[in-house]
Amino acid sequence: MGILSWIVLGLVVGALAKLIMPGDDPGGIIVTIIIGIVGAFLGGYIGSIFGLGEVTGFNFGSILLAIVGALILLILYRLIRKKR
């Protein structure tokens, strides 16, 4: 996947993760894209460890793995912020 594809995937996945798990998170389109892209990497890594596949493009399995990764990031962010 090219860089533009990763940015679009990040935007879609980040927005879906924030829609699934609404709350007081860092906002803005750039942060949403970053959450989605990092979530895609995290989801792909976790998927490859458990034999579920990797994030390879715009298909259902890849988007699902990326959303799981982004949700994990949002959960970790909230846990860290709550301890402060």
Side-chain angles (χ1 to χ4, degrees), residues 37-74:
I37 291 172
V38 175
F41 281 112
L42 180 63
Y45 178 72
I46 291 170
S48 67
I49 288 175
F50 290 110
L52 301 172
E54 299 175 348
V55 176
T56 57
F58 285 99
N59 56 50
F60 183 72
S62 293
I63 292 176
L64 190 62
L65 282 173
I67 290 172
V68 168
L71 289 173
I72 291 170
L73 284 178
L74 287 175

Side-chain angles (χ1 to χ4, degrees), residues 21-40:
M21 205 169 121
D24 186 26
D25 300 314
I29 192 165
I30 301 298
V31 175
T32 301
I33 290 171
I34 292 170
I35 288 171
I37 291 172
V38 175

